[in-house]
Amino acid sequence: MRNRVIAGICSTVLSCSLLIGSSGTTYASGATTAAEVPSNKPVKNVILFITDGMSLSDVNLARWYGGGQPLTIDKYFSGLVRTYATDSLTTDSAAGATAYATGHKVKTETVSILPDKSTMPLLDTVKKEDMNKPLPTIMDAARLAGKSTGTVFTCELTDATPATFLSHAYTRDNAGSIAEQMVYSGVDILLGGGAGYLVPGKEDINRKDGEDLTKVIKSSGYEYVTDKAGLMNTKTNKVWGMFNKEALDADLDLNPQKQPSLAEMTKIAAEKLSQNDKGFVLMVEASQIDWYGHDNDPVGIVSETLAFDRAFKAAIDFAEKDGNTAVVSVSDHATGGLNMTNYDANKELVSVLKKAKHTSYGFEGNINEKNFKQVLADNYGLTNLTKEEADAVREGLKDNLSPVIGKILGAKIGVTFSTDDHTSEEIGLFAYHPTNFKPTDFAKSGVIQNTDVNRYIQEVTGLNLTALEDTLFVTADKFRAKGATVTLDKTDKTNPVIVVKKGGQLLKLPMDKNIAMMDGKALKLSALTVMIKDKVWVSQDAVDLIN
């Protein structure tokens, strides 16, 4: 391996106009004239991919793993996306995905609520009374317009990205609340991992309130399936699929008889959702590119990037046949800072990476200080470890082995990582539209904001989140303005209930649900009842129940 250090060369050089407005405003128009911009043909359906943590360098490595042949996404590369949050140049997944879900930049770690902290430039001002207010999502807009909605992912359902489309929280770590909100969100198709977050039990991930949310799911008319065969044999268009108690296995590691691939889940979700004549919005997350970026595992990055590319192809195949679907793919941020400095031929890289039978997660629990040399030889083709490498493996076994393996492999193929954290670089935008009207055409720039992607989806579908922002969520003070009393019943501390009384009327609103109990009768609401930082937010139609 002939590695060289070349100073002064950037992997991506950007020369672009300055931002000219708030978080919703993008860049000044370039040289393209209005006549050259493809016209917008409204579409019924949108499939939005979020490739968590995927950088363009990750894509490059995956492409070379396949011999340098183009990936499916290459044909649809459309531009770059800026991902910063309201309080940070580098975003996390919660804030990054919230921008795509709601059209607003928000504070890191928060889930689809307006920010209470804004230190970055070019942002809208949030009124004090609106800070931490739940934001309607594109799923809310689609659902209320009569469209079907779906989410597909390979992480746990409570992880940041899927959470932002179906729940609201001050911290992404509030898994118990997020899981319950997602169950009551009204989503039609939900496929991924995290079954343990739905049921009571002794494990850390299990519910502590005693509720078995799988019973709620089943009683709400969903087919609840737990393996690939169950998914393939579903008969309805309302499906919850939980294929592992925590995250799904990486594509390179999964048992194809038990767990569906990301491509299979994408195809089935699109086919089922398309049975609605009014159309659908589907979010698909390739969740674990980020995880392998954090752990500096090039094999895992390749596995999950290629799994995404196959899922993207499934979506494109559907869209081209359907003729009424737009497909967009973005990342919430990049992770790991992967660098390629390989000065050998590609066969050297491929000869090393192709020996890997699993990602570094694939043999967790099956490797120890006694057998690690054999396990690494069998799973990675890593033989004849040096003393320094063997010592590093022994140390990694005590804490985190993934980056140790990644470093050993990287030394052989010219791959290094600059960090085990997120990075603030622009990420790739890939898009398909029946008349080639892309988010970059909508924004009139090749470099756009993450919030522009949400606004593009609104544009091509005719959905309107701005109107919902003023009407969907209101404070419980609206009840008091009607002369009602409002109290919080904490008899069950894990499941508090808002109690509203006026005259002979009695209204109960269980937290994290879209249910109202009016004079003992259960009613379904347009939005969830949630508490953010001790402030209760309710659906406007709940307020309308009180005379």
Side-chain angles (χ1 to χ4, degrees):
M1 173 60 61
R2 303 183 304 279
N3 290 336
R4 306 173 189 170
V5 177
I6 302 180
I9 298 179
C10 297
S11 60
T12 304
V13 179
L14 302 178
S15 177
C16 57
S17 303
L18 294 175
L19 281 171
I20 57 172
S22 68
S23 63
T25 308
T26 54
Y27 297 81
S29 177
T32 303
T33 66
E36 294 172 325
V37 175
S39 60
N40 172 29
K41 170 195 170 186
V43 295
K44 287 200 307 183
N45 315 314
V46 171
I47 303 174
L48 171 65
F49 283 87
I50 299 180
T51 50
D52 198 328
M54 189 182 82
S55 69
L56 291 178
S57 292
D58 295 341
V59 174
N60 187 30
L61 178 62
R63 192 184 293 115
W64 283 118
Y65 178 87
Q69 293 298 313
L71 301 177
T72 298
I73 58 173
D74 290 353
K75 179 180 177 181
Y76 303 96
F77 180 77
S78 303
L80 298 174
V81 181
R82 301 186 73 185
T83 62
Y84 60 89
T86 65
D87 61 334
S88 176
L89 282 167
T90 304
T91 189
D92 79 312
S93 292
T98 292
Y100 298 128
T102 71
H104 285 266
K105 286 185 181 290
V106 300
K107 190 173 72 171
T108 51
E109 304 292 325
T110 63
V111 177
S112 293
I113 62 173
L114 282 171
D116 59 10
K117 181 181 180 182
S118 297
T119 57
M120 293 292 290
L122 309 167
L123 300 171
D124 294 324
T125 300
V126 178
K127 298 177 183 178
K128 186 175 181 179
E129 61 268 25
D130 287 339
M131 289 180 178
N132 300 322
K133 180 180 180 179
L135 285 162
T137 72
I138 199 68
M139 297 300 185
D140 292 321
R143 172 175 51 83
L144 294 172
K147 292 180 179 290
S148 293
T149 58
T151 55
V152 170
F153 44 89
T154 59
C155 57
E156 302 93 344
L157 80 159
T158 57
D159 210 7
T161 297
T164 61
F165 285 83
L166 302 174
S167 69
H168 312 272
Y170 189 75
T171 171
R172 57 184 287 182
D173 295 330
N174 197 357
S177 171
I178 287 170
E180 189 157 38
Q181 289 184 54
M182 294 177 80
V183 168
Y184 284 91
S185 67
V187 68
D188 296 290
I189 303 286
L190 187 143
L191 307 175
Y197 290 87
L198 300 175
V199 296
K202 296 181 180 179
E203 295 186 42
D204 289 342
I205 63 173
N206 294 149
R207 297 195 63 77
K208 305 310 175 189
D209 60 3
E211 288 190 85
D212 184 343
L213 294 178
T214 63
K215 293 180 179 179
V216 176
I217 293 167
K218 294 170 185 176
S219 67
S220 299
Y222 293 93
E223 284 189 72
Y224 184 79
V225 296
T226 58
D227 56 23
K228 180 177 175 178
L231 177 62
M232 297 302 182
N233 293 321
T234 51
K235 305 300 182 185
T236 73
N237 297 326
K238 288 189 66 174
V239 180
W240 268 70
M242 292 278 97
F243 306 110
N244 202 10
K245 67 177 183 179
E246 296 189 62
L248 303 189
D249 295 326
D251 196 76
L252 191 60
D253 302 328
L254 66 79
N255 181 339
Q257 303 304 314
K258 294 183 178 181
Q259 293 183 12
S261 68
L262 188 64
E264 289 167 335
M265 291 190 291
T266 300
K267 182 175 184 292
I268 288 173
E271 290 173 348
K272 288 185 175 295
L273 294 171
S274 67
Q275 299 306 304
N276 184 342
D277 290 339
K278 292 185 178 180
F280 67 84
V281 174
L282 170 64
M283 190 284 291
V284 180
E285 186 196 21
S287 313
Q288 296 181 41
I289 302 171
D290 171 70
W291 298 4
Y292 290 107
H294 280 296
D295 278 339
N296 293 176
D297 179 349
V299 174
I301 288 173
V302 168
S303 165
E304 300 311 278
T305 301
L306 292 179
F308 149 66
D309 194 60
R310 290 188 286 271
F312 187 87
K313 182 180 186 303
I316 292 295
D317 289 345
F318 172 88
E320 290 181 336
K321 183 178 179 180
D322 173 72
N324 212 357
T325 300
V327 181
V328 179
S329 179
V330 287
S331 302
D332 46 3
H333 53 74
T335 304
L338 186 150
N339 301 289
M340 290 186 65
T341 54
N342 189 320
Y343 283 86
D344 290 321
N346 187 53
K347 64 180 182 180
E348 277 79 13
L349 181 146
V350 172
S351 66
V352 172
L353 289 184
K354 290 285 186 178
K355 291 177 182 177
K357 298 176 182 178
H358 292 285
T359 71
S360 58
Y361 297 178
F363 48 82
E364 285 182 336
N366 297 316
I367 186 171
N368 54 54
E369 193 167 345
K370 292 182 179 180
N371 69 5
F372 74 82
K373 291 184 179 180
Q374 190 62 51
V375 171
L376 293 180
D378 292 343
N379 287 276
Y380 279 95
L382 291 175
T383 58
N384 301 318
L385 297 178
T386 66
K387 181 181 183 303
E388 290 76 13
E389 290 171 340
D391 288 343
V393 171
R394 292 187 184 94
E395 194 63 30
L397 286 168
K398 301 175 184 177
D399 180 25
N400 186 2
L401 185 59
S402 296
V404 175
I405 297 174
K407 187 174 182 179
I408 295 172
L409 287 172
K412 298 178 182 296
I413 60 175
V415 168
T416 58
F417 293 85
S418 63
T419 182
D420 60 2
D421 209 339
H422 300 169
T423 62
S424 59
E425 68 202 83
E426 283 74 30
I427 53 84
L429 168 71
F430 307 86
Y432 165 86
H433 183 277
T435 60
N436 206 34
F437 181 73
K438 309 289 183 65
T440 45
D441 300 314
F442 167 72
K444 298 182 174 62
S445 174
V447 182
I448 68 174
Q449 292 280 8
N450 48 12
T451 51
D452 288 318
V453 174
N454 175 277
R455 292 183 172 126
Y456 165 81
I457 294 173
Q458 293 184 61
E459 175 76 10
V460 298
T461 58
L463 298 173
N464 188 338
L465 278 178
T466 302
L468 286 180
E469 289 171 12
D470 297 329
T471 60
L472 194 58
F473 288 100
V474 296
T475 68
D477 289 338
K478 290 283 188 177
F479 290 117
R480 297 186 179 94
K482 287 189 167 188
T485 61
V486 181
T487 57
L488 182 62
D489 182 356
K490 293 185 177 180
T491 303
D492 181 349
K493 294 181 180 180
T494 56
N495 287 291
V497 178
I498 301 299
V499 179
V500 183
K501 295 180 181 179
K502 183 184 178 185
Q505 292 182 301
L506 176 62
L507 174 65
K508 294 184 177 182
L509 302 171
M511 207 65 68
D512 296 330
K513 298 178 173 66
N514 66 339
I515 301 296
M517 298 299 297
M518 184 65 184
D519 298 327
K521 182 180 179 180
L523 302 171
K524 184 173 288 188
L525 300 172
S526 297
L528 299 155
T529 299
V530 294
M531 182 181 291
I532 310 293
K533 295 283 284 186
D534 297 324
K535 189 172 185 178
V536 175
W537 298 86
V538 301
S539 172
Q540 176 62 49
D541 55 357
V543 176
D544 294 340
L545 292 173
I546 297 295
N547 297 326

